[in-house]
Amino acid sequence: MSEIALQVNFGLNIALLLMLVAIGLAIARTRSLLAAILLMGMYSLASAVWLIVMDAADVAFTEAVVGAGISTVVLLGAILLVRAGPVRHNWRMTIAPAVLVLGVGGLLVYAVTGLPEFGDPASPTNAHVGRSYLIQTSDEIGVPNVVTAVLASYRGFDTLGETVVVFAAGIGVALMLGFGPRSNLPRAPAATGDHHVVLRVTAKLLIPLIALFAFYVQFHGDLGAGGGFQAGVILAVAPILHALVFGLRGTIAALPVRAVRSVATMGVLLYSGVGVVCMINGGGFLDYDYLFPPSVEAMIPPGLMGEPYHAHHWGQHFGIFFIELGVLLTVAATMVTIFYGFAGRAAEEPGAST
Amino acid sequence: MVDALHLVGGGLVVAGALLTLLGGVGVLRFPDVYTRIHAASLTDTGGATLVLLGLALISGLTLETLKLGLVWVFVMLTTPAAANALANAAFSAGHTPRIGAFQIMKSLAAGEARSDTQRRETSDDDKSSPP
Amino acid sequence: MLLAAGVAGLVVAMTMMIWRAIVGPSQYDRMLAANSLGTKIVLLIAVIGYLSGRPAFLDIAIVYALINFVTTIALMKFFRYRTLSRPLGPEAKDG
């Protein structure tokens, strides 16, 4: 990185952190829930740029799609379900939380002084296991993106846990709000004389492109930033946009609640199924080196998976492929289930806002 | 040759950033929502075109150029549509333009908004927002 | 050098948008500011990618351009109809 790029990075760090502080103060100050949601979306946008400046492309990707996209839509759905506005408390009731917040904040600031320098090669995160991941990935796993290798292979069990957490969150929301609308959804209006032609045409153009781009992110995850989580959220955005523009009734006709639910379950089953296949073939749970039995690996022509050639790269490659597919299915279906829950619930109470 | 392309590309990027900056000034200084939408959406699409064209000149003919083209297509599709939706929502919620020459439109909009509100019986959301 | 100047201009424009979002006055101003901030961030990501020699950041810029639109539509629909499930159109006869 050139000298000028470093200087620009430094300036950007300061500018973006100041922006985050300003937006955070505004969120704390505003009395309007809607303004708070809007400002939180902007906070996510700005913090994702900051993550890009810090060269954490995968995290920035997630922050962009989850923080700025899905959570704004879900929060809007949530605000439709609560009827109360902001509540003003007696100032005495705020003393204990304020002391707690100041205490924790002071401890965090104190902890910052003990952190290693940014990019310090001798820091604990860079020295032990992180360094060995960086050194051994090309030999042991054979995918260019080390983040994907760590996430899907070295720490595959943790990622299974995360996928199950996402699934459990979807089940929880569905149990509380219903899997989808049970009663009357508004019908599609007559198509003449409305002012939303522009939106409908744009949405029709964009929805397939969004779905296509989700699959690009999914299958490009081995090589660059991206992967199952990000792709799943992007894929879920396509039906959400459809529901926003064309109505939830049409979306549910195209993607029935039952189908979405089974896809979410299938994703978790696919992920853990890969682990079980590895165990059957004599390895540990999610040990992709054993995904294919040696008799299959012997049939692979050399040079097909690039250099340096190892037969187990084949198993690693397909193991990562399948578990990322499982993550994609679970995350996308769970996000759609959550959206169905919030949006469909609001449709049942048409008088809620008046 | 390559240096000249880099220079022209960098110049286009700066021009696009200046256009965006101009739009920012408009968003801060203009009196009501509609003029602000006008300022923001026009300069956003124009600035995006200039910046992405400049970057395309810098990168030459590679895969990145295709991606820049994709970004351009998406920005050109979404920004005007979002501005249209925004102005539509603001108008139907009863926001009236505030510029002097639009007095006729203002009274029209007020009448339209009133009948619109009565027909749909929705509450005006601006009452919940702080002044 | 020129790219750095472009980054500076975009950051100042972003600050203006954040200022507009904080002061309001109406929610539509905030929506406008959020949408416009998103477009500026798309451009900023693209320029940063070229400045630091990582054009792969363009993927994230594309995602931003898409997500930003969906968020704006959701907000617009929320403000106008107070529901996320209704189709867009002229009348709510049976809503």
Side-chain angles (χ1 to χ4, degrees), chain A residues 192-267:
Chain A
T192 52
D194 68 308
H195 306 290
H196 292 297
V197 178
V198 174
L199 269 189
R200 277 210 293 272
V201 172
T202 314
K204 265 182 195 168
L205 281 171
L206 277 181
I207 288 168
L209 286 176
I210 291 175
L212 193 63
F213 190 71
F215 285 108
Y216 165 74
V217 171
Q218 166 82 13
F219 297 120
H220 197 252
D222 289 1
L223 307 172
F229 284 98
Q230 295 94 332
V233 178
I234 297 172
L235 189 60
V237 163
I240 287 175
L241 180 60
H242 186 273
L244 287 173
V245 176
F246 299 101
L248 194 57
R249 178 187 283 264
T251 312
I252 287 186
L255 281 178
V257 177
R258 188 182 285 268
V260 173
R261 222 185 314 170
S262 15
V263 167
T265 322
M266 252 167 55

XYZ file of all heavy atoms in Angstrom, chain A residues 192-267:
555
model
N -54.812 0.097 -12.719
C -54.896 1.347 -13.456
C -54.822 2.539 -12.521
O -55.299 2.498 -11.400
C -56.227 1.415 -14.218
O -57.279 1.141 -13.288
C -56.260 0.407 -15.330
N -54.207 3.583 -13.015
C -54.291 4.864 -12.366
C -53.487 5.012 -11.103
O -53.743 5.906 -10.324
N -52.495 4.176 -10.857
C -51.690 4.385 -9.660
C -50.352 4.991 -10.043
O -49.966 5.023 -11.206
C -51.494 3.079 -8.911
C -50.640 2.121 -9.677
O -50.961 1.885 -10.867
O -49.670 1.622 -9.133
N -49.655 5.487 -9.031
C -48.429 6.230 -9.286
C -47.188 5.383 -9.068
O -46.094 5.911 -8.993
C -48.375 7.441 -8.370
C -49.575 8.299 -8.464
N -49.844 9.045 -9.577
C -50.588 8.518 -7.606
C -50.979 9.703 -9.398
N -51.460 9.391 -8.211
N -47.344 4.078 -8.938
C -46.190 3.266 -8.568
C -45.666 2.424 -9.712
O -45.012 1.417 -9.484
C -46.534 2.381 -7.387
C -46.750 3.160 -6.143
N -45.755 3.901 -5.560
C -47.841 3.347 -5.385
C -46.229 4.494 -4.502
N -47.488 4.189 -4.369
N -45.957 2.849 -10.936
C -45.472 2.094 -12.095
C -43.953 2.034 -12.090
O -43.354 0.985 -12.337
C -45.977 2.749 -13.386
C -45.449 2.017 -14.581
C -47.480 2.773 -13.398
N -43.320 3.166 -11.758
C -41.859 3.227 -11.753
C -41.293 2.184 -10.804
O -40.384 1.419 -11.141
C -41.405 4.638 -11.348
C -39.902 4.689 -11.192
C -41.859 5.646 -12.356
N -41.879 2.141 -9.601
C -41.376 1.202 -8.596
C -41.567 -0.226 -9.041
O -40.691 -1.062 -8.856
C -42.127 1.406 -7.290
C -41.515 2.390 -6.325
C -42.237 2.304 -5.017
C -40.067 2.067 -6.152
N -42.739 -0.509 -9.623
C -42.996 -1.895 -9.998
C -42.052 -2.362 -11.096
O -41.535 -3.474 -11.043
C -44.449 -2.049 -10.428
C -45.379 -2.238 -9.257
C -46.564 -3.081 -9.658
N -47.374 -2.366 -10.599
C -48.347 -1.538 -10.246
N -48.603 -1.366 -8.992
N -49.032 -0.911 -11.141
N -41.845 -1.490 -12.079
C -40.934 -1.880 -13.166
C -39.524 -2.063 -12.628
O -38.843 -3.049 -12.941
C -40.973 -0.822 -14.282
C -39.902 -1.108 -15.309
C -42.328 -0.809 -14.934
N -39.079 -1.116 -11.778
C -37.730 -1.234 -11.227
C -37.599 -2.511 -10.402
O -36.589 -3.221 -10.501
C -37.427 -0.022 -10.350
O -37.830 1.141 -11.035
C -35.961 0.069 -10.051
N -38.630 -2.811 -9.598
C -38.553 -4.011 -8.765
C -38.512 -5.262 -9.624
O -37.759 -6.192 -9.342
C -39.748 -4.058 -7.815
N -39.308 -5.269 -10.700
C -39.291 -6.435 -11.584
C -37.911 -6.638 -12.189
O -37.462 -7.763 -12.373
C -40.307 -6.246 -12.710
C -41.628 -6.876 -12.404
C -42.560 -6.709 -13.568
C -43.971 -7.012 -13.151
N -44.939 -6.595 -14.144
N -37.235 -5.534 -12.508
C -35.883 -5.655 -13.056
C -34.900 -6.126 -11.994
O -33.986 -6.897 -12.284
C -35.413 -4.304 -13.594
C -35.931 -3.884 -14.946
C -35.540 -2.453 -15.222
C -35.342 -4.781 -16.015
N -35.094 -5.641 -10.759
C -34.067 -5.853 -9.747
C -34.161 -7.221 -9.076
O -33.128 -7.782 -8.710
C -34.160 -4.772 -8.671
C -33.476 -3.458 -8.996
C -33.620 -2.509 -7.838
C -32.013 -3.685 -9.292
N -35.390 -7.746 -8.901
C -35.532 -8.963 -8.091
C -34.703 -10.131 -8.653
O -33.941 -10.759 -7.916
C -37.018 -9.330 -7.931
C -37.675 -8.335 -6.986
C -37.199 -10.725 -7.401
C -39.170 -8.404 -6.976
N -34.781 -10.411 -9.971
C -33.919 -11.501 -10.465
C -32.437 -11.182 -10.347
O -31.639 -12.080 -10.053
C -34.331 -11.653 -11.928
C -35.186 -10.526 -12.247
C -35.672 -9.913 -11.009
N -32.082 -9.910 -10.528
C -30.663 -9.559 -10.423
C -30.161 -9.759 -8.996
O -29.029 -10.214 -8.784
C -30.452 -8.103 -10.844
C -30.545 -7.841 -12.334
C -30.422 -6.360 -12.619
C -29.451 -8.582 -13.060
N -31.013 -9.446 -8.010
C -30.607 -9.635 -6.615
C -30.370 -11.114 -6.338
O -29.360 -11.502 -5.745
C -31.677 -9.055 -5.668
C -31.703 -7.538 -5.758
C -31.418 -9.467 -4.242
C -32.797 -6.897 -4.953
N -31.305 -11.958 -6.819
C -31.152 -13.393 -6.583
C -29.892 -13.916 -7.274
O -29.117 -14.693 -6.697
C -32.388 -14.130 -7.088
N -29.657 -13.435 -8.492
C -28.467 -13.866 -9.235
C -27.199 -13.451 -8.505
O -26.248 -14.226 -8.351
C -28.503 -13.241 -10.625
C -27.533 -13.786 -11.650
C -27.844 -15.231 -11.921
C -27.629 -12.990 -12.928
N -27.204 -12.209 -7.997
C -26.022 -11.713 -7.307
C -25.788 -12.497 -6.016
O -24.632 -12.723 -5.623
C -26.181 -10.222 -7.012
C -24.924 -9.597 -6.534
C -23.873 -9.406 -7.398
C -24.778 -9.216 -5.216
C -22.700 -8.855 -6.959
C -23.615 -8.660 -4.776
C -22.577 -8.480 -5.639
N -26.882 -12.937 -5.366
C -26.725 -13.752 -4.158
C -25.958 -15.026 -4.485
O -25.058 -15.422 -3.732
C -28.089 -14.086 -3.573
N -26.269 -15.645 -5.623
C -25.557 -16.877 -5.953
C -24.114 -16.593 -6.339
O -23.225 -17.396 -6.072
C -26.288 -17.633 -7.071
C -27.510 -18.303 -6.563
C -28.763 -17.835 -6.879
C -27.398 -19.390 -5.727
C -29.888 -18.442 -6.385
C -28.517 -20.009 -5.218
C -29.760 -19.531 -5.547
N -23.869 -15.425 -6.946
C -22.473 -15.045 -7.212
C -21.707 -14.948 -5.913
O -20.589 -15.478 -5.786
C -22.444 -13.712 -7.975
C -21.086 -13.064 -7.984
C -20.068 -13.567 -8.783
C -20.818 -11.956 -7.196
C -18.833 -12.988 -8.782
C -19.589 -11.370 -7.192
C -18.600 -11.887 -7.980
O -17.369 -11.314 -7.970
N -22.302 -14.261 -4.905
C -21.628 -14.110 -3.611
C -21.399 -15.478 -2.980
O -20.344 -15.756 -2.409
C -22.465 -13.202 -2.693
C -21.916 -13.208 -1.284
C -22.478 -11.792 -3.226
N -22.388 -16.373 -3.129
C -22.278 -17.710 -2.550
C -21.100 -18.475 -3.133
O -20.236 -18.969 -2.421
C -23.579 -18.461 -2.825
C -23.510 -19.942 -2.585
C -23.681 -20.288 -1.133
O -24.085 -19.440 -0.355
N -23.363 -21.503 -0.775
N -21.029 -18.539 -4.460
C -20.030 -19.408 -5.069
C -18.684 -18.720 -5.225
O -17.695 -19.359 -5.526
C -20.538 -19.917 -6.421
C -21.758 -20.763 -6.262
C -22.946 -20.420 -6.860
C -21.721 -21.886 -5.465
C -24.072 -21.190 -6.684
C -22.837 -22.667 -5.276
C -24.013 -22.314 -5.894
N -18.674 -17.399 -5.006
C -17.417 -16.667 -5.062
C -16.747 -16.651 -3.702
O -15.631 -16.173 -3.558
C -17.702 -15.242 -5.547
C -16.502 -14.516 -6.016
N -15.936 -13.494 -5.298
C -15.740 -14.654 -7.107
C -14.882 -13.035 -5.939
N -14.746 -13.717 -7.036
N -17.443 -17.194 -2.671
C -16.928 -17.094 -1.309
C -15.590 -17.776 -1.108
O -14.827 -17.382 -0.230
N -15.271 -18.811 -1.918
C -13.964 -19.448 -1.804
C -12.839 -18.514 -2.219
O -11.717 -18.610 -1.722
C -13.903 -20.678 -2.726
C -14.775 -21.793 -2.206
O -15.413 -21.571 -1.172
O -14.808 -22.851 -2.833
N -13.159 -17.608 -3.157
C -12.091 -16.807 -3.768
C -11.980 -15.422 -3.157
O -10.900 -14.883 -3.028
C -12.342 -16.656 -5.279
C -12.560 -17.960 -6.019
C -12.999 -17.690 -7.436
C -11.291 -18.775 -6.013
N -13.126 -14.800 -2.830
C -13.085 -13.445 -2.304
C -14.047 -13.305 -1.151
O -14.462 -14.293 -0.554
N -14.382 -12.058 -0.856
C -15.310 -11.820 0.233
C -16.669 -12.391 -0.118
O -17.119 -12.304 -1.257
C -15.427 -10.323 0.507
N -17.317 -12.991 0.856
C -18.639 -13.537 0.620
C -18.755 -14.911 1.244
O -17.814 -15.403 1.866
N -19.910 -15.537 1.064
C -20.131 -16.843 1.649
C -21.596 -17.049 1.953
O -22.433 -16.250 1.541
N -21.873 -18.128 2.664
C -23.253 -18.533 2.858
C -24.091 -17.524 3.611
O -25.232 -17.272 3.235
N -23.545 -16.933 4.678
C -24.364 -16.020 5.481
C -24.770 -14.803 4.660
O -25.947 -14.432 4.597
C -23.593 -15.585 6.723
C -23.535 -16.628 7.790
C -22.433 -17.447 7.918
C -24.600 -16.821 8.647
C -22.382 -18.421 8.883
C -24.560 -17.794 9.621
C -23.440 -18.601 9.737
N -23.784 -14.166 4.024
C -24.087 -12.964 3.259
C -25.028 -13.284 2.105
O -26.012 -12.579 1.865
C -22.792 -12.356 2.702
C -21.841 -11.842 3.746
C -20.798 -12.853 4.163
O -21.040 -14.052 4.099
N -19.650 -12.388 4.589
N -24.723 -14.392 1.396
C -25.553 -14.744 0.250
C -26.964 -15.067 0.681
O -27.927 -14.720 -0.017
C -24.939 -15.932 -0.489
N -27.108 -15.727 1.845
C -28.444 -16.056 2.318
C -29.270 -14.814 2.567
O -30.444 -14.744 2.183
N -28.646 -13.809 3.193
C -29.401 -12.588 3.462
C -29.748 -11.882 2.153
O -30.878 -11.394 1.975
C -28.613 -11.668 4.407
C -29.381 -10.405 4.645
C -28.355 -12.360 5.716
N -28.810 -11.847 1.209
C -29.098 -11.181 -0.061
C -30.215 -11.912 -0.797
O -31.121 -11.302 -1.368
C -27.830 -11.099 -0.939
C -26.770 -10.264 -0.253
C -28.142 -10.482 -2.285
C -25.442 -10.305 -0.953
N -30.160 -13.250 -0.736
C -31.214 -14.030 -1.399
C -32.561 -13.752 -0.749
O -33.588 -13.683 -1.440
C -30.871 -15.520 -1.314
C -31.743 -16.457 -2.137
C -31.657 -16.099 -3.590
C -31.306 -17.892 -1.941
N -32.579 -13.567 0.586
C -33.850 -13.293 1.262
C -34.375 -11.909 0.901
O -35.579 -11.676 0.962
C -33.665 -13.400 2.774
N -33.483 -10.998 0.511
C -33.922 -9.645 0.171
C -34.819 -9.665 -1.068
O -35.738 -8.857 -1.180
C -32.693 -8.728 -0.022
C -33.066 -7.472 -0.767
C -32.117 -8.355 1.320
N -34.593 -10.626 -1.977
C -35.386 -10.662 -3.211
C -36.875 -10.891 -2.925
O -37.704 -10.076 -3.359
C -34.824 -11.711 -4.168
N -37.267 -11.939 -2.178
C -38.698 -12.048 -1.862
C -39.213 -10.918 -0.991
O -40.402 -10.559 -1.097
C -38.814 -13.397 -1.144
C -37.459 -13.802 -0.814
C -36.546 -13.156 -1.764
N -38.349 -10.347 -0.141
C -38.820 -9.246 0.702
C -39.172 -8.043 -0.175
O -40.207 -7.397 0.007
C -37.759 -8.903 1.762
C -37.730 -9.991 2.827
C -38.059 -7.565 2.409
C -36.652 -9.824 3.852
N -38.313 -7.765 -1.166
C -38.630 -6.657 -2.075
C -39.911 -6.950 -2.843
O -40.749 -6.066 -3.059
C -37.459 -6.430 -3.039
C -37.639 -5.309 -4.054
C -37.841 -3.980 -3.347
C -36.454 -5.208 -4.988
N -40.071 -8.215 -3.241
C -41.303 -8.594 -3.944
C -42.518 -8.344 -3.065
O -43.528 -7.777 -3.512
C -41.217 -10.066 -4.342
C -42.368 -10.518 -5.184
N -43.530 -10.980 -4.635
C -42.540 -10.548 -6.516
C -44.371 -11.291 -5.599
N -43.800 -11.034 -6.760
N -42.424 -8.728 -1.790
C -43.564 -8.544 -0.884
C -43.835 -7.064 -0.669
O -44.984 -6.642 -0.576
C -43.288 -9.232 0.442
N -42.772 -6.251 -0.597
C -42.972 -4.826 -0.347
C -43.677 -4.172 -1.523
O -44.505 -3.288 -1.340
C -41.631 -4.135 -0.123
C -40.938 -4.405 1.197
C -39.558 -3.788 1.200
C -41.755 -3.848 2.332
N -43.340 -4.586 -2.736
C -43.879 -3.889 -3.909
C -45.160 -4.542 -4.402
O -46.128 -3.853 -4.727
C -42.814 -3.836 -5.025
C -43.392 -3.212 -6.275
C -41.619 -3.038 -4.563
N -45.205 -5.872 -4.433
C -46.362 -6.537 -5.023
C -47.325 -7.102 -3.990
O -48.335 -7.677 -4.349
C -45.905 -7.664 -5.947
C -45.068 -7.183 -7.088
C -43.695 -7.297 -7.058
C -45.654 -6.584 -8.181
C -42.929 -6.835 -8.095
C -44.889 -6.127 -9.228
C -43.523 -6.245 -9.179
N -47.008 -6.979 -2.716
C -47.935 -7.451 -1.695
C -47.550 -8.818 -1.176
O -47.043 -9.667 -1.914
N -47.805 -9.017 0.121
C -47.404 -10.263 0.766
C -48.191 -11.453 0.231
O -47.690 -12.570 0.183
C -47.611 -10.130 2.273
C -46.947 -11.177 3.156
C -45.466 -11.212 2.899
C -47.214 -10.875 4.607
N -49.422 -11.197 -0.204
C -50.255 -12.291 -0.708
C -49.613 -12.977 -1.912
O -49.527 -14.205 -1.968
C -51.617 -11.731 -1.107
C -52.562 -12.740 -1.689
C -53.789 -12.014 -2.186
N -54.675 -11.625 -1.112
C -55.717 -12.340 -0.731
N -55.995 -13.460 -1.352
N -56.488 -11.949 0.231
N -49.139 -12.174 -2.854
C -48.499 -12.751 -4.035
C -47.217 -13.481 -3.684
O -46.911 -14.530 -4.248
N -46.435 -12.903 -2.743
C -45.182 -13.544 -2.371
C -45.428 -14.898 -1.733
O -44.720 -15.865 -2.002
C -44.417 -12.643 -1.398
O -44.409 -11.334 -1.915
C -43.011 -13.119 -1.213
N -46.464 -14.968 -0.876
C -46.737 -16.239 -0.203
C -47.289 -17.248 -1.188
O -47.038 -18.455 -1.052
C -47.676 -15.992 0.994
C -46.861 -15.306 2.078
C -48.285 -17.266 1.511
C -47.561 -15.122 3.357
N -48.001 -16.767 -2.222
C -48.441 -17.700 -3.256
C -47.243 -18.302 -3.980
O -47.257 -19.474 -4.358
C -49.362 -16.985 -4.244
N -46.195 -17.476 -4.179
C -45.013 -17.983 -4.879
C -44.125 -18.796 -3.963
O -43.562 -19.814 -4.381
C -44.221 -16.814 -5.463
N -43.951 -18.343 -2.725
C -43.081 -19.031 -1.770
C -43.923 -19.402 -0.559
O -43.985 -18.649 0.408
C -41.949 -18.112 -1.310
C -40.746 -17.898 -2.180
C -39.821 -16.908 -1.510
C -40.017 -19.193 -2.397
N -44.580 -20.562 -0.557
C -45.481 -20.885 0.556
C -44.717 -21.006 1.872
O -43.530 -21.358 1.891
C -46.076 -22.235 0.144
C -45.815 -22.363 -1.297
C -44.581 -21.589 -1.585
N -45.429 -20.679 2.956
C -44.806 -20.682 4.281
C -44.220 -22.043 4.591
O -43.101 -22.165 5.102
C -45.869 -20.296 5.318
C -45.294 -20.357 6.706
C -46.400 -18.921 5.031
N -44.975 -23.085 4.243
C -44.528 -24.437 4.546
C -43.210 -24.755 3.834
O -42.304 -25.346 4.413
C -45.613 -25.413 4.107
C -45.401 -26.832 4.520
C -46.538 -27.658 3.959
N -47.767 -27.458 4.693
C -48.119 -28.231 5.718
N -47.336 -29.216 6.093
N -49.234 -28.030 6.358
N -43.101 -24.333 2.565
C -41.885 -24.605 1.798
C -40.697 -23.884 2.426
O -39.609 -24.451 2.571
C -42.073 -24.161 0.356
N -40.906 -22.617 2.812
C -39.807 -21.853 3.399
C -39.324 -22.524 4.677
O -38.123 -22.661 4.924
C -40.267 -20.406 3.673
C -39.210 -19.646 4.419
C -40.597 -19.710 2.379
N -40.308 -22.988 5.493
C -39.949 -23.649 6.737
C -39.119 -24.898 6.465
O -38.111 -25.154 7.124
C -41.233 -24.028 7.468
C -41.193 -23.776 8.928
C -42.452 -24.296 9.570
N -43.661 -23.923 8.854
C -44.856 -24.447 9.139
N -44.971 -25.339 10.081
N -45.922 -24.060 8.472
N -39.535 -25.702 5.475
C -38.780 -26.942 5.243
C -37.402 -26.641 4.674
O -36.454 -27.368 4.974
C -39.540 -27.898 4.330
O -40.578 -27.277 3.679
N -37.272 -25.566 3.882
C -35.940 -25.228 3.366
C -35.015 -24.870 4.514
O -33.838 -25.279 4.542
C -36.046 -24.078 2.343
C -34.673 -23.509 2.044
C -36.675 -24.574 1.068
N -35.525 -24.123 5.504
C -34.689 -23.761 6.647
C -34.208 -25.006 7.374
O -33.040 -25.101 7.767
C -35.477 -22.863 7.603
N -35.098 -25.980 7.536
C -34.703 -27.209 8.219
C -33.696 -27.991 7.383
O -32.726 -28.533 7.897
C -35.938 -28.083 8.471
O -37.006 -27.230 8.817
C -35.694 -29.066 9.556
N -33.944 -28.014 6.054
C -33.054 -28.758 5.166
C -31.625 -28.252 5.232
O -30.675 -29.044 5.171
C -33.548 -28.622 3.720
C -34.162 -29.861 3.154
S -35.026 -29.449 1.650
C -33.765 -28.648 0.695
N -31.464 -26.926 5.374
C -30.120 -26.365 5.434
C -29.349 -26.905 6.614
O -28.204 -27.367 6.467
